[in-house]
Amino acid sequence: MTKEMMEDLLQSVTKLLDEINELQTNSKQMDELFLSLEIRANNIELTLNGLQQNVVRLDQRIATVVERQLEKSTNKFLSQGMIQ
């Protein structure tokens, strides 16, 4: 090999190493982005679970209120029927 060929080969290897380093850097950045997205997705899941529990509790409370209103209305209706 001539000196010029060796220098060309060295330059090619250097460029290849630079590209590999850039790929590693990009890979690390992608890993960080995926981790960030995973954390955000988990937080959204927790929030949705909390909202679902709130909806269930609210539904139970509404059912209780409606049931009591029906009882009051029924008792009032029966009371009025007995009075007349």
Side-chain angles (χ1 to χ4, degrees), residues 21-34:
N21 284 335
E22 186 176 335
L23 285 172
Q24 286 176 331
T25 300
N26 290 341
S27 176
K28 287 177 185 176
Q29 290 172 346
M30 291 297 289
D31 286 345
E32 289 172 3
L33 288 173
F34 278 120

Side-chain angles (χ1 to χ4, degrees), residues 7 9 15 18-19 22-23 25 33 36 38 40-41 49 52-54 60 63 73 79-80 82:
E7 287 176 359
L9 181 59
K15 285 182 182 180
D18 288 343
E19 288 177 10
E22 186 176 335
L23 285 172
T25 300
L33 288 173
S36 175
E38 187 177 4
R40 291 171 76 184
N49 286 338
Q52 184 180 15
Q53 290 173 359
N54 289 344
Q60 291 169 344
S73 296
S79 295
Q80 287 177 352
M82 289 180 176

Side-chain angles (χ1 to χ4, degrees), residues 4-83:
E4 186 177 310
M5 290 174 71
M6 296 275 274
E7 287 176 359
D8 287 344
L9 181 59
L10 180 61
Q11 188 176 20
S12 295
V13 169
T14 302
K15 285 182 182 180
L16 183 59
L17 288 174
D18 288 343
E19 288 177 10
I20 289 172
N21 284 335
E22 186 176 335
L23 285 172
Q24 286 176 331
T25 300
N26 290 341
S27 176
K28 287 177 185 176
Q29 290 172 346
M30 291 297 289
D31 286 345
E32 289 172 3
L33 288 173
F34 278 120
L35 180 61
S36 175
L37 285 173
E38 187 177 4
I39 290 169
R40 291 171 76 184
N42 288 337
N43 287 341
I44 289 170
E45 181 181 11
L46 290 173
T47 300
L48 289 175
N49 286 338
L51 288 172
Q52 184 180 15
Q53 290 173 359
N54 289 344
V55 167
V56 168
R57 277 191 234 116
L58 185 59
D59 186 51
Q60 291 169 344
R61 289 177 182 168
I62 289 172
T64 301
V65 168
V66 168
E67 184 179 336
R68 288 182 183 162
Q69 283 299 109
L70 285 173
E71 286 175 6
K72 285 182 183 179
S73 296
T74 302
N75 290 339
K76 186 176 181 182
F77 178 73
L78 292 175
S79 295
Q80 287 177 352
M82 289 180 176
I83 294 174

